[in-house]
Amino acid sequence: MRGIVLYKSKYGVTKKYAEWISEEMQYDMMDVTKVKKKDIQEYDIIVLGGGIYAMGIAGLDFLRKNPEFVQQKKVFVFCDGASPFDEEAFSVIRERNMKEVLRDVPLFYFRGGWDMAKMSFMDRNLCKMLQKAVDKKDPSEYEVWEKALVEAGKDACDWTNQEYIKPLIEKLKEL
């Protein structure tokens, strides 16, 4: 079966994971913002990855706008974010993003990175506002993502790890 890894990467983390998956599975790879429907016709398997921004998964609109691919092909989705994995937060991400035709699509989470120097002006300012709001809270009451936000601060952090892709690779190899 032929597979392709589609990704939407704002700062390079999702692309890194897409490259690792593509190499491991010998799948083609393409930025989802450059994909045309005809580009996908020849594939049996689609893996789509995107970063998490404001609880949404970047690039997921491609599958929402093309539900026939979800119905006709084997589809897997991965997302990445700066926080360590948290079951409760992951459930919220799943509930918010994997609706209707995407409801039964397997979803995987990989820890990403954080680099305010690479962020857009808007993202950097939103993160600074979030950090200020979190700084006002009692640290014992931090949620997982808030603790990660405080720990990262203004430093560049790269938590990417090829080990994170193993559960997805295992599922793909079962096909």
Side-chain angles (χ1 to χ4, degrees), residues 56-145:
I57 301 172
L60 207 54
D61 280 348
F62 177 79
L63 294 175
R64 286 190 194 106
K65 291 176 184 174
N66 298 288
E68 68 275 14
F69 292 140
V70 178
Q71 295 159 343
Q72 299 166 0
K73 300 176 185 293
K74 304 281 186 197
V75 177
F76 298 82
V77 174
F78 72 88
C79 57
D80 54 78
S83 298
F85 180 79
D86 176 71
E87 187 64 49
E88 189 176 322
F90 185 67
S91 293
V92 172
I93 295 289
R94 171 173 272 297
E95 187 178 300
R96 196 165 193 185
N97 290 276
M98 308 304 281
K99 297 176 183 175
E100 298 160 5
V101 73
L102 299 175
R103 185 173 319 280
D104 297 323
V105 172
L107 176 65
F108 298 83
Y109 179 83
F110 311 145
R111 191 160 189 204
W114 175 268
D115 189 348
M116 288 189 59
K118 287 185 179 178
M119 289 182 193
S120 69
F121 176 78
M122 176 89 74
D123 287 349
R124 189 171 41 255
N125 283 326
L126 287 171
C127 287
K128 285 178 183 178
M129 288 187 332
L130 262 177
Q131 285 174 324
K132 285 180 183 179
V134 170
D135 283 344
K136 294 176 183 175
K137 290 179 76 172
D138 179 346
S140 67
E141 295 177 16
Y142 285 169
E143 292 183 39
V144 172
W145 69 268

Side-chain angles (χ1 to χ4, degrees), residues 2 32 141:
R2 291 201 59 209
V32 74
E141 295 177 16

